[in-house]
Amino acid sequence: MTIIKRIKDAVNGKAPLSAKRSGKWPSVRKHFLAINPACAVCGGFKKIEVHHKNPFHLHPELELDSSNLITLCEEDTNGVNCHLLFGHLGNFKSLNKTVVKDAATWNKKIQTRPIISKESI
């Protein structure tokens, strides 16, 4: 990760500058995305992030644990940034302890949403 990206993330509240990733993180992230390539909320494939359910800067022992990860996007599809809204409840300085349950609930709602047409009204 470049210093510019780390500074940007720190400014946005994603992780403090003091948070250092493991050298194994890029390969763990790549492997996780190979198995879980789509956003768990909307099913999107663009601007994908691997979100830590328990932040790695608070729980470094869980940084590489795949059970602590979930795929979320920052695509802003239909005005929603799934990583920010579902992973951090709208504020990168926060966390959502029920992110997996919430992602599954909203994914089901999105997949089964009714499409409104003139004929259905």
Side-chain angles (χ1 to χ4, degrees):
M1 176 182 291
T2 68
I3 188 67
I4 293 171
K5 174 120 172 70
R6 287 185 62 222
I7 291 170
K8 243 175 116 173
D9 285 353
V11 168
N12 288 327
K14 285 187 179 181
L17 279 175
S18 60
K20 293 251 185 180
R21 293 230 184 245
S22 163
K24 295 178 182 179
W25 172 243
S27 62
V28 169
R29 181 183 189 280
K30 183 178 179 179
H31 178 71
F32 187 81
L33 285 175
I35 297 168
N36 305 280
C39 176
V41 176
C42 71
F45 292 93
K46 296 180 180 176
K47 293 188 179 179
I48 294 296
E49 293 290 331
V50 176
H51 173 75
H52 288 86
K53 299 172 202 173
N54 293 291
F56 77 94
H57 65 281
L58 297 178
H59 298 278
E61 73 281 7
L62 298 175
E63 178 187 9
L64 306 176
D65 182 347
S66 62
S67 68
N68 186 44
L69 306 176
I70 185 170
T71 305
L72 299 172
C73 75
E74 293 185 346
E75 177 60 18
D76 292 330
T77 303
N78 300 314
V80 177
N81 176 327
C82 296
H83 183 209
L84 178 60
L85 182 61
F86 294 94
H88 296 278
L89 301 173
N91 184 331
F92 280 118
K93 293 181 181 178
S94 183
L95 69 111
N96 179 0
K97 292 185 178 192
T98 60
V99 64
V100 173
K101 180 181 173 194
D102 293 350
T105 298
W106 280 95
N107 182 274
K108 184 175 180 179
K109 286 178 186 243
I110 290 168
Q111 297 303 317
T112 60
R113 67 182 163 211
I115 303 300
I116 300 172
S117 65
K118 290 181 180 180
E119 293 80 32
S120 67
I121 298 176

